[in-house]
Amino acid sequence: HHNFGHMHLLSKDPIATGEWYAKHFGIPNVRYGKQKRMYRGVQIGPSASMMIDNLNLIIYPIEYAQTAWPEIWKDRTDFEPTKGRVIDHLGLSVDNLEETLARLEKAGVKITDPPRSVLGGKVKYAFIEGPDKMRIE
């Protein structure tokens, strides 16, 4: 028996990113570590952590990656879009896709792929861009 327990994301501003998910997707009880925090020489705070269904999404600062993998981040200061990467996107379900997209667009969220449907209209989906160029379905 296995349970998918958690996922780590990186962010330029983990606190603002946690607030973004709480605001736009109604994620309750986001926990914040607002202080700069180090663990074994790697910056792990400030951070945010939230439960989405049974998955704990933990958001660490960009400095985590810059310190842990300096060769990869040597000439980089920003994130690249996640499309086509190891983690291409996060998938979240909503009750009404059209209403949700209208609300998100009104709030200034970028819709990157307009709504589409598959399986004879039984499944509808669209993509938006979240904080730090995270692709979200």
Side-chain angles (χ1 to χ4, degrees):
H1 177 65
H2 294 83
N3 291 311
F4 186 44
H6 70 274
M7 174 183 242
H8 291 191
L9 297 180
L10 299 169
S11 177
K12 282 191 167 184
D13 188 343
I15 303 302
T17 298
E19 291 169 348
W20 188 92
Y21 281 96
K23 174 184 175 183
H24 293 301
F25 291 104
I27 308 297
N29 303 318
V30 179
R31 296 177 307 274
Y32 301 101
K34 295 187 178 185
Q35 302 299 319
K36 180 178 178 179
R37 189 167 162 231
M38 303 295 286
Y39 179 74
R40 295 184 179 175
V42 177
Q43 186 175 339
I44 61 169
S47 63
S49 177
M50 67 199 80
M51 292 299 293
I52 301 177
D53 296 326
N54 291 323
L55 173 72
N56 185 11
L57 188 64
I58 304 164
I59 305 169
Y60 287 129
I62 192 173
E63 291 85 358
Y64 178 101
Q66 291 169 329
T67 303
W69 302 284
E71 311 81 35
I72 296 172
W73 283 86
K74 185 173 81 172
D75 297 319
R76 291 177 56 193
T77 58
D78 202 356
F79 293 101
E80 296 176 11
T82 59
K83 185 175 183 178
R85 305 273 177 184
V86 172
I87 301 291
D88 182 85
H89 66 276
L90 298 177
L92 300 173
S93 296
V94 297
D95 291 331
N96 187 307
L97 181 60
E98 289 77 15
E99 286 178 12
T100 300
L101 288 174
R103 179 180 52 79
L104 292 171
E105 190 169 38
K106 184 177 180 182
V109 175
K110 180 180 178 181
I111 297 171
T112 60
D113 296 65
R116 295 186 183 149
S117 63
V118 294
L119 299 174
K122 292 179 183 177
V123 176
K124 296 178 185 178
Y125 66 96
F127 287 92
I128 63 171
E129 185 175 274
D132 304 301
K133 301 181 183 175
M134 176 58 70
R135 189 169 192 232
I136 301 171
E137 179 181 7

